[in-house]
Amino acid sequence: MEKEINGELLQIPEHIAVILDGNGRWAKKRGMPRNYGHLQGAKNVEKICIDAGELGVKYMTVYAFSTENWKRSTEEVSGIMNILRQYLASFKTHARREQLTVRVIGDRSRLADDINQLIDELWDMSKDHQGLTLSIALNYGSRDEITRAVRRIAAEAQDGSLQPEQVNETLLSSYLDTGYMPDPDLLIRTSGELRLSNYLLWQLAYTEFYFTDVFWPDFNRDELIKAIRYYNERDRRYGGV
Ligand code: IPE
Ligand code: IPE
Ligand code: MG
């Protein structure tokens, strides 16, 4: 889809994946606790979803908590989980107003029961909305996701409901947590780190990567447009000539 933004015709990526990084450093710079950065970071996800939806983006997939992030201090982890509780509860109003669909990817078995309940409620009330689909990666790790998918495939092969010859790239993609959406066109990582941190390893095979030094809580509509402009400057080839 093409859209005119500030007099410029831009191709809008259908799916943007985001590694929202730098909340801690953003807070530190202001002499505030890390969890204050997480709170501002969570608020910013709402804002960027509205901006992305208005620009015509269909899917946004944000990395909010990794399988490795449990190794942070108990104080930080419980702070993040509490922000998540507040966030998911308040997101219902938001999702209705903005017509957003909200889903979660990652291993939900390690999340608290009340958080899982909020996730189910949010999905249930938003599944027929027509706007942007926000997927929140929680207790997400790409290797864990692929391992879980392969385990299910192996179990179905063992009980005979799936033949080994049926296993191909399309089938494996459909068994991943992201099976309901196309692969990302653009990946954005904030705060200057140039690594994937175990995010969407399979799905990012042909995605354009955009890195910015801006910390996530400061990433705004203008920064999003910069990323989309960068995406437009790339010559996408998908392995062809
Ligand atoms: C990203 O911000 C959010 C989470 C990983 C939960 P960080 O907390 O990683 O912020 P920095 O990288 O320490 O600045
Ligand atoms: C990646 O950020 C995970 C999330 C954004 C949730 P981290 O800040 O945890 O990644 P590393 O540890 O710097 O690679
Ligand atoms: Mg970080």
Side-chain angles (χ1 to χ4, degrees):
M1 175 197 160
E2 281 189 335
K3 192 166 172 102
E4 196 182 312
I5 301 163
N6 308 331
E8 198 180 355
L9 197 61
L10 290 175
Q11 182 71 34
I12 303 299
E14 185 180 15
H15 183 177
I16 300 182
V18 182
I19 302 177
L20 50 89
D21 201 6
N23 290 348
R25 279 163 283 172
W26 181 90
K28 192 173 174 206
K29 216 173 76 181
R30 286 163 176 75
M32 298 297 279
R34 292 180 61 81
N35 282 339
Y36 178 68
H38 294 314
L39 185 63
Q40 294 307 313
K43 287 186 183 162
N44 201 38
V45 171
E46 295 185 9
K47 283 204 228 133
I48 292 295
C49 276
I50 298 177
D51 292 331
E54 281 172 5
L55 293 171
V57 174
K58 295 275 179 277
Y59 300 93
M60 276 254 305
T61 304
V62 302
Y63 206 1
F65 195 84
S66 76
T67 48
E68 305 312 305
N69 287 149
W70 298 104
K71 292 182 191 140
R72 296 189 180 194
S73 73
T74 326
E75 188 195 352
E76 183 168 350
V77 171
S78 64
I80 293 174
M81 291 301 152
N82 281 332
I83 290 168
L84 189 62
R85 281 188 177 89
Q86 289 172 23
Y87 179 78
L88 292 170
S90 71
F91 215 90
K92 278 188 198 162
T93 326
H94 209 74
R96 192 170 296 116
R97 195 174 52 224
E98 307 296 332
Q99 285 295 298
L100 304 172
T101 298
V102 187
R103 304 186 70 141
V104 164
I105 61 168
D107 179 4
R108 287 177 53 184
S109 67
R110 201 171 163 184
L111 302 176
D113 291 346
D114 67 310
I115 292 183
N116 271 316
Q117 195 182 330
L118 284 167
I119 294 169
D120 288 337
E121 285 169 14
L122 199 49
W123 159 240
D124 206 47
M125 63 79 59
S126 73
K127 61 181 187 297
D128 297 324
H129 288 169
Q130 299 299 309
L132 175 141
T133 296
L134 167 66
S135 302
I136 309 173
L138 288 179
N139 190 25
Y140 177 87
S142 195
R143 289 179 175 181
D144 173 70
E145 175 194 37
I146 294 170
T147 306
R148 285 185 284 107
V150 170
R151 196 180 300 141
R152 267 173 62 212
I153 291 171
E156 289 177 23
Q158 191 177 37
D159 75 21
S161 55
L162 189 70
Q163 297 307 309
E165 304 73 49
Q166 289 174 274
V167 181
N168 57 24
E169 292 183 12
T170 313
L171 181 115
L172 181 46
S173 291
S174 75
Y175 276 64
L176 297 176
D177 297 348
T178 51
Y180 55 91
M181 55 184 168
D183 288 342
D185 304 291
L186 173 66
L187 168 81
I188 298 173
R189 182 167 190 157
T190 56
S191 91
E193 309 304 334
L194 309 181
R195 56 179 174 273
L196 288 179
S197 302
N198 202 10
Y199 195 42
L200 304 174
L201 303 180
W202 171 280
Q203 297 88 337
L204 296 175
Y206 276 101
T207 302
E208 299 291 346
F209 288 10
Y210 177 80
F211 297 101
T212 171
D213 287 340
V214 173
F215 294 139
W216 174 252
D218 287 332
F219 189 89
N220 57 20
R221 184 187 166 95
D222 284 345
E223 298 296 333
L224 178 64
I225 292 172
K226 267 192 227 169
I228 295 177
R229 196 175 290 128
Y230 168 88
Y231 168 79
N232 274 258
E233 287 159 6
R234 311 267 57 87
D235 181 14
R236 307 194 75 199
R237 289 179 212 262
Y238 304 100
V241 281

